[in-house]
Coordinates of all heavy atoms in Angstrom, one line a residue:
I106 N 91.9 122.0 1.7 CA 93.2 121.2 1.6 C 94.4 122.2 1.4 O 95.5 121.9 1.9 CB 93.0 120.2 0.4 CG1 92.0 119.1 0.8 CG2 94.4 119.6 0.0 CD1 91.6 118.2 -0.4
F107 N 94.1 123.3 0.6 CA 95.2 124.2 0.4 C 95.5 125.1 1.6 O 96.7 125.5 1.9 CB 94.8 125.3 -0.7 CG 94.5 124.7 -2.0 CD1 93.6 125.3 -2.8 CD2 95.1 123.5 -2.5 CE1 93.3 124.8 -4.1 CE2 94.8 123.0 -3.7 CZ 93.9 123.6 -4.5
R108 N 94.5 125.4 2.4 CA 94.7 126.3 3.5 C 95.1 125.7 4.9 O 95.4 126.5 5.8 CB 93.3 127.0 3.7 CG 92.9 127.8 2.6 CD 91.5 128.4 2.9 NE 91.0 129.1 1.7 CZ 89.8 129.3 1.4 NH1 88.8 129.0 2.2 NH2 89.4 130.0 0.3
T109 N 95.1 124.4 5.0 CA 95.4 123.8 6.2 C 96.6 122.9 6.2 O 97.1 122.6 5.1 CB 94.1 123.0 6.7 OG1 93.8 122.0 5.7 CG2 92.9 123.9 6.9
K110 N 97.0 122.4 7.3 CA 98.1 121.5 7.4 C 97.8 120.4 8.4 O 96.8 120.5 9.2 CB 99.4 122.2 7.8 CG 99.8 123.3 6.9 CD 100.4 122.7 5.6 CE 100.9 123.8 4.7 NZ 100.8 123.5 3.3
G111 N 98.6 119.4 8.5 CA 98.5 118.3 9.5 C 97.2 117.6 9.5 O 96.7 117.2 8.5
E112 N 96.7 117.3 10.7 CA 95.5 116.5 10.9 C 94.3 117.2 10.3 O 93.4 116.5 9.8 CB 95.3 116.3 12.4 CG 96.3 115.3 13.1 CD 96.1 115.1 14.5 OE1 94.9 115.3 15.0 OE2 97.0 114.7 15.2
V113 N 94.2 118.5 10.4 CA 93.1 119.2 9.8 C 93.1 119.0 8.3 O 92.0 118.7 7.7 CB 93.1 120.7 10.2 CG1 92.0 121.4 9.5 CG2 93.0 120.9 11.7
Q114 N 94.2 119.1 7.7 CA 94.3 118.9 6.2 C 93.9 117.4 5.9 O 93.2 117.2 4.9 CB 95.7 119.2 5.7 CG 95.8 119.1 4.2 CD 97.2 119.3 3.7 OE1 98.1 118.6 4.1 NE2 97.4 120.3 2.8
E115 N 94.4 116.5 6.7 CA 94.1 115.1 6.4 C 92.6 114.8 6.5 O 92.0 114.1 5.7 CB 94.8 114.2 7.4 CG 96.3 114.1 7.2 CD 96.7 113.7 5.8 OE1 96.2 112.8 5.2 OE2 97.6 114.4 5.2
A116 N 91.9 115.5 7.4 CA 90.5 115.4 7.6 C 89.8 115.9 6.3 O 88.8 115.3 5.9 CB 90.0 116.1 8.8
F117 N 90.2 117.0 5.8 CA 89.6 117.6 4.6 C 89.9 116.7 3.4 O 89.0 116.6 2.5 CB 90.1 119.0 4.4 CG 89.4 120.0 5.2 CD1 90.0 120.8 6.1 CD2 88.0 120.2 5.1 CE1 89.4 121.7 6.9 CE2 87.3 121.1 5.9 CZ 88.0 121.9 6.8
K118 N 91.0 116.1 3.3 CA 91.3 115.1 2.2 C 90.4 114.0 2.3 O 89.8 113.6 1.2 CB 92.8 114.6 2.3 CG 93.8 115.6 2.0 CD 95.2 115.0 2.1 CE 96.3 116.0 2.1 NZ 97.6 115.3 2.4
S119 N 90.2 113.4 3.5 CA 89.2 112.3 3.6 C 87.8 112.7 3.2 O 87.1 112.0 2.6 CB 89.2 111.8 5.1 OG 90.5 111.2 5.4
E120 N 87.4 113.9 3.7 CA 86.1 114.4 3.4 C 85.9 114.6 1.9 O 84.9 114.2 1.3 CB 85.8 115.7 4.1 CG 84.4 116.3 3.8 CD 84.1 117.6 4.5 OE1 84.9 118.0 5.4 OE2 83.1 118.2 4.2
F121 N 86.9 115.2 1.2 CA 86.9 115.4 -0.2 C 86.8 114.1 -1.0 O 85.9 113.9 -1.8 CB 88.2 116.1 -0.6 CG 88.4 116.4 -2.1 CD1 87.8 117.4 -2.7 CD2 89.2 115.5 -2.8 CE1 87.9 117.7 -4.0 CE2 89.3 115.8 -4.2 CZ 88.7 116.9 -4.8
L122 N 87.6 113.0 -0.6 CA 87.5 111.8 -1.3 C 86.2 111.0 -1.0 O 85.6 110.4 -1.9 CB 88.7 110.9 -0.9 CG 90.1 111.4 -1.3 CD1 91.2 110.6 -0.7 CD2 90.2 111.4 -2.8
H123 N 85.7 111.2 0.2 CA 84.4 110.6 0.5 C 83.3 111.2 -0.4 O 82.4 110.5 -0.9 CB 84.0 110.8 2.0 CG 82.6 110.4 2.3 ND1 82.2 109.1 2.4 CD2 81.5 111.2 2.6 CE1 80.9 109.1 2.7 NE2 80.5 110.4 2.8
N124 N 83.3 112.5 -0.5 CA 82.3 113.2 -1.3 C 82.4 112.9 -2.8 O 81.4 112.9 -3.5 CB 82.3 114.6 -1.0 CG 81.8 114.9 0.5 OD1 80.9 114.1 1.0 ND2 82.3 115.9 1.1
L125 N 83.6 112.6 -3.2 CA 83.8 112.2 -4.6 C 83.1 110.8 -4.8 O 82.6 110.6 -5.9 CB 85.3 112.1 -5.0 CG 86.0 113.4 -5.3 CD1 87.4 113.1 -5.8 CD2 85.3 114.2 -6.4
S126 N 83.2 110.0 -3.8 CA 82.6 108.7 -3.9 C 81.0 108.8 -4.0 O 80.4 108.0 -4.7 CB 82.9 107.8 -2.7 OG 82.3 108.2 -1.5
I127 N 80.5 109.8 -3.4 CA 79.0 110.1 -3.6 C 78.7 110.4 -5.0 O 77.8 109.9 -5.6 CB 78.5 111.2 -2.6 CG1 78.6 110.8 -1.2 CG2 77.1 111.6 -3.0 CD1 78.4 111.9 -0.2
L128 N 79.5 111.3 -5.6 CA 79.3 111.7 -7.0 C 79.6 110.5 -7.9 O 78.9 110.4 -9.0 CB 80.2 112.9 -7.3 CG 79.8 114.2 -6.6 CD1 80.9 115.2 -6.9 CD2 78.5 114.7 -7.1
E129 N 80.6 109.7 -7.6 CA 80.9 108.5 -8.3 C 79.6 107.6 -8.4 O 79.3 107.1 -9.5 CB 82.0 107.7 -7.7 CG 82.4 106.4 -8.3 CD 83.1 106.5 -9.6 OE1 83.5 107.6 -10.0 OE2 83.2 105.4 -10.3
G130 N 79.0 107.4 -7.3 CA 77.7 106.6 -7.3 C 76.6 107.3 -8.2 O 75.9 106.5 -8.8
E131 N 76.5 108.6 -8.1 CA 75.5 109.3 -8.9 C 75.7 109.1 -10.4 O 74.8 109.1 -11.2 CB 75.5 110.8 -8.6 CG 74.9 111.1 -7.3 CD 73.4 110.8 -7.1 OE1 72.7 110.9 -8.1 OE2 73.1 110.3 -6.0
L132 N 77.0 108.9 -10.8 CA 77.3 108.7 -12.3 C 77.2 107.2 -12.8 O 77.3 107.0 -14.0 CB 78.7 109.2 -12.6 CG 78.9 110.7 -12.8 CD1 80.3 111.1 -12.7 CD2 78.2 111.1 -14.1
K133 N 77.0 106.3 -11.9 CA 77.0 104.9 -12.2 C 75.9 104.6 -13.3 O 74.8 105.0 -13.2 CB 76.7 104.0 -11.0 CG 76.8 102.6 -11.3 CD 76.6 101.7 -10.1 CE 76.9 100.3 -10.4 NZ 76.8 99.4 -9.2
G134 N 76.4 104.1 -14.4 CA 75.6 103.8 -15.6 C 75.1 105.0 -16.4 O 74.2 104.8 -17.2
K135 N 75.7 106.1 -16.2 CA 75.3 107.3 -16.9 C 76.5 108.0 -17.6 O 77.6 107.8 -17.2 CB 74.8 108.4 -15.9 CG 73.6 108.0 -15.1 CD 73.2 109.1 -14.2 CE 72.2 108.6 -13.1 NZ 72.0 109.7 -12.1
I136 N 76.2 108.7 -18.7 CA 77.3 109.5 -19.4 C 77.5 110.8 -18.6 O 78.6 111.2 -18.4 CB 76.8 109.7 -20.8 CG1 76.7 108.4 -21.6 CG2 77.8 110.7 -21.5 CD1 76.1 108.5 -23.0
Y137 N 76.4 111.4 -18.3 CA 76.4 112.7 -17.6 C 75.5 112.5 -16.3 O 74.8 111.5 -16.2 CB 75.8 113.8 -18.4 CG 76.5 114.1 -19.6 CD1 76.0 113.8 -20.9 CD2 77.8 114.8 -19.6 CE1 76.7 114.1 -22.1 CE2 78.5 115.0 -20.8 CZ 77.9 114.7 -22.0 OH 78.6 115.0 -23.1
F138 N 75.6 113.4 -15.4 CA 74.8 113.3 -14.2 C 73.3 113.2 -14.4 O 72.6 112.5 -13.7 CB 75.1 114.4 -13.2 CG 76.4 114.3 -12.5 CD1 77.5 115.0 -13.0 CD2 76.6 113.5 -11.4 CE1 78.8 114.9 -12.3 CE2 77.8 113.4 -10.7 CZ 78.9 114.0 -11.2
G139 N 72.9 113.8 -15.5 CA 71.4 113.7 -15.9 C 71.1 112.6 -16.8 O 70.0 112.6 -17.4
G140 N 72.1 111.7 -17.1 CA 71.8 110.6 -18.0 C 72.6 110.9 -19.3 O 73.8 111.0 -19.3
D141 N 71.8 111.0 -20.4 CA 72.4 111.3 -21.7 C 72.6 112.8 -22.0 O 73.1 113.2 -23.0 CB 71.5 110.7 -22.8 CG 71.6 109.2 -22.7 OD1 72.5 108.6 -22.2 OD2 70.6 108.6 -23.2
T142 N 72.1 113.6 -21.1 CA 72.1 115.1 -21.3 C 73.0 115.8 -20.4 O 73.0 115.6 -19.2 CB 70.7 115.6 -21.1 OG1 69.8 114.9 -21.9 CG2 70.6 117.1 -21.4
F143 N 73.9 116.7 -21.0 CA 74.8 117.5 -20.2 C 73.9 118.6 -19.5 O 73.2 119.3 -20.2 CB 75.8 118.2 -21.2 CG 76.9 119.0 -20.5 CD1 77.9 118.3 -19.9 CD2 76.8 120.3 -20.5 CE1 79.0 119.1 -19.3 CE2 77.8 121.1 -20.0 CZ 78.9 120.5 -19.3
G144 N 73.9 118.7 -18.2 CA 73.0 119.6 -17.5 C 73.7 120.3 -16.4 O 74.9 120.5 -16.3
L145 N 72.9 120.8 -15.5 CA 73.3 121.7 -14.4 C 74.4 121.1 -13.5 O 75.3 121.8 -13.2 CB 72.1 122.1 -13.5 CG 72.3 123.0 -12.3 CD1 72.9 124.3 -12.8 CD2 71.0 123.2 -11.6
V146 N 74.2 119.9 -13.1 CA 75.3 119.3 -12.2 C 76.6 119.1 -13.0 O 77.6 119.4 -12.4 CB 74.8 117.9 -11.7 CG1 75.9 117.3 -10.8 CG2 73.5 118.0 -10.9
D147 N 76.5 118.8 -14.3 CA 77.7 118.7 -15.1 C 78.4 120.1 -15.2 O 79.6 120.2 -15.1 CB 77.4 118.2 -16.5 CG 76.7 116.9 -16.4 OD1 77.3 115.9 -16.0 OD2 75.5 116.8 -16.8
I148 N 77.6 121.1 -15.4 CA 78.1 122.5 -15.5 C 78.8 122.9 -14.2 O 79.8 123.5 -14.2 CB 77.0 123.4 -15.9 CG1 76.6 123.2 -17.4 CG2 77.5 124.9 -15.8 CD1 75.3 123.8 -17.7
T149 N 78.2 122.5 -13.1 CA 78.7 122.8 -11.8 C 80.0 122.1 -11.4 O 80.9 122.7 -10.9 CB 77.6 122.5 -10.7 OG1 76.4 123.2 -11.0 CG2 78.1 122.9 -9.3
F150 N 80.1 120.8 -11.8 CA 81.2 120.0 -11.5 C 82.4 120.1 -12.5 O 83.5 119.9 -12.1 CB 80.7 118.6 -11.3 CG 81.7 117.6 -10.6 CD1 82.5 118.1 -9.5 CD2 81.9 116.4 -11.1 CE1 83.4 117.2 -8.9 CE2 82.8 115.5 -10.5 CZ 83.5 115.9 -9.4
A151 N 82.1 120.4 -13.7 CA 83.1 120.4 -14.8 C 84.3 121.3 -14.4 O 85.4 120.9 -14.8 CB 82.5 120.9 -16.1
P152 N 84.2 122.4 -13.8 CA 85.4 123.2 -13.5 C 86.5 122.4 -12.6 O 87.7 122.7 -12.7 CB 84.9 124.4 -12.7 CG 83.5 124.6 -13.3 CD 83.0 123.2 -13.5
F153 N 86.0 121.4 -11.9 CA 86.9 120.7 -11.0 C 87.8 119.8 -11.9 O 88.8 119.3 -11.3 CB 86.1 119.8 -10.0 CG 85.6 120.7 -8.9 CD1 84.4 121.2 -9.0 CD2 86.4 121.1 -7.8 CE1 83.9 122.1 -8.0 CE2 86.0 121.9 -6.8 CZ 84.7 122.4 -6.9
I154 N 87.5 119.5 -13.1 CA 88.4 118.7 -14.0 C 89.8 119.3 -13.9 O 90.8 118.6 -13.8 CB 87.8 118.7 -15.4 CG1 86.5 117.8 -15.4 CG2 88.9 118.1 -16.3 CD1 85.8 117.9 -16.8
S155 N 89.9 120.6 -14.0 CA 91.2 121.3 -14.0 C 91.8 121.3 -12.6 O 93.1 121.4 -12.5 CB 91.1 122.8 -14.5 OG 90.7 122.8 -15.8
W156 N 91.0 121.2 -11.6 CA 91.5 121.3 -10.2 C 92.1 120.0 -9.6 O 92.8 120.1 -8.6 CB 90.5 121.9 -9.3 CG 90.3 123.4 -9.5 CD1 89.5 124.0 -10.3 CD2 91.1 124.4 -8.8 NE1 89.6 125.4 -10.2 CE2 90.6 125.6 -9.3 CE3 92.1 124.4 -7.9 CZ2 91.1 126.8 -8.9 CZ3 92.6 125.6 -7.5 CH2 92.1 126.8 -7.9
F157 N 91.7 118.9 -10.2 CA 92.1 117.6 -9.5 C 93.6 117.5 -9.4 O 94.1 117.2 -8.3 CB 91.6 116.4 -10.3 CG 90.1 116.2 -10.2 CD1 89.3 116.0 -11.3 CD2 89.4 116.2 -9.0 CE1 87.9 115.8 -11.2 CE2 88.1 116.1 -8.8 CZ 87.3 115.8 -10.0
E158 N 94.3 117.8 -10.4 CA 95.8 117.8 -10.4 C 96.3 118.8 -9.4 O 97.3 118.5 -8.6 CB 96.4 118.0 -11.7 CG 97.9 117.8 -11.8 CD 98.5 118.0 -13.2 OE1 97.7 117.9 -14.2 OE2 99.7 118.3 -13.3
T159 N 95.7 120.0 -9.3 CA 96.2 121.0 -8.4 C 95.9 120.5 -6.9 O 96.8 120.7 -6.0 CB 95.4 122.3 -8.6 OG1 95.7 122.7 -10.0 CG2 95.9 123.4 -7.7
F160 N 94.8 119.9 -6.7 CA 94.5 119.4 -5.3 C 95.5 118.4 -4.9 O 96.0 118.4 -3.8 CB 93.1 118.7 -5.3 CG 91.9 119.7 -5.3 CD1 90.8 119.3 -6.0 CD2 92.0 120.9 -4.7 CE1 89.7 120.1 -6.0 CE2 90.9 121.8 -4.8 CZ 89.7 121.4 -5.4
E161 N 95.9 117.5 -5.9 CA 96.9 116.5 -5.6 C 98.3 117.2 -5.3 O 98.9 116.8 -4.3 CB 97.1 115.6 -6.8 CG 95.9 114.6 -7.0 CD 96.1 113.8 -8.2 OE1 96.8 114.1 -9.2 OE2 95.5 112.7 -8.2
N162 N 98.7 118.1 -6.1 CA 100.0 118.7 -6.0 C 100.1 119.5 -4.7 O 101.1 119.4 -4.0 CB 100.3 119.6 -7.2 CG 100.6 118.8 -8.4 OD1 100.9 117.6 -8.4 ND2 100.4 119.4 -9.6
L163 N 99.1 120.4 -4.4 CA 99.2 121.2 -3.2 C 98.8 120.5 -2.0 O 99.3 120.9 -0.9 CB 98.3 122.4 -3.4 CG 98.8 123.4 -4.5 CD1 97.8 124.6 -4.7 CD2 100.2 123.9 -4.3
G164 N 98.1 119.4 -2.1 CA 97.7 118.7 -0.9 C 98.6 117.5 -0.6 O 98.4 116.9 0.5
G165 N 99.5 117.2 -1.5 CA 100.4 116.1 -1.3 C 99.7 114.7 -1.2 O 100.1 113.9 -0.4
F166 N 98.8 114.5 -2.1 CA 98.1 113.2 -2.1 C 97.6 112.9 -3.5 O 97.7 113.7 -4.4 CB 96.9 113.1 -1.1 CG 95.7 113.9 -1.5 CD1 94.5 113.2 -1.8 CD2 95.7 115.3 -1.7 CE1 93.3 113.9 -2.1 CE2 94.6 116.0 -2.0 CZ 93.4 115.3 -2.3
K167 N 97.2 111.6 -3.7 CA 96.7 111.2 -5.0 C 95.2 110.9 -4.9 O 94.8 110.2 -4.0 CB 97.4 110.0 -5.5 CG 98.9 110.3 -5.9 CD 98.9 111.1 -7.1 CE 100.3 111.4 -7.6 NZ 100.4 112.4 -8.6
I168 N 94.4 111.4 -5.9 CA 93.0 111.1 -6.0 C 92.8 109.8 -6.6 O 91.9 109.1 -6.3 CB 92.3 112.3 -6.7 CG1 92.4 113.6 -5.9 CG2 90.8 111.9 -6.9 CD1 92.0 114.8 -6.7
H169 N 93.6 109.4 -7.6 CA 93.5 108.1 -8.3 C 92.1 108.0 -9.0 O 91.4 107.0 -8.8 CB 93.7 106.9 -7.4 CG 95.0 106.9 -6.8 ND1 96.2 106.6 -7.5 CD2 95.4 107.1 -5.5 CE1 97.2 106.7 -6.6 NE2 96.8 107.0 -5.4

Side-chain angles (χ1 to χ4, degrees):
I106 289 169
F107 301 151
R108 296 179 185 154
T109 59
K110 299 287 181 212
E112 290 180 22
V113 175
Q114 185 185 55
E115 292 304 315
F117 280 117
K118 289 178 193 178
S119 293
E120 181 180 348
F121 179 80
L122 293 172
H123 169 74
N124 292 327
L125 281 183
S126 71
I127 294 169
L128 293 171
E129 175 73 10
E131 289 293 325
L132 277 168
K133 187 173 183 177
K135 301 176 191 173
I136 296 171
Y137 298 109
F138 284 98
D141 292 336
T142 305
F143 186 78
L145 179 60
V146 178
D147 304 294
I148 292 166
T149 304
F150 193 42
F153 286 94
I154 293 171
S155 295
W156 282 93
F157 289 133
E158 186 178 339
T159 303
F160 289 146
E161 290 178 332
N162 291 337
L163 295 178
F166 74 115
K167 291 290 182 193
I168 297 170
H169 300 290

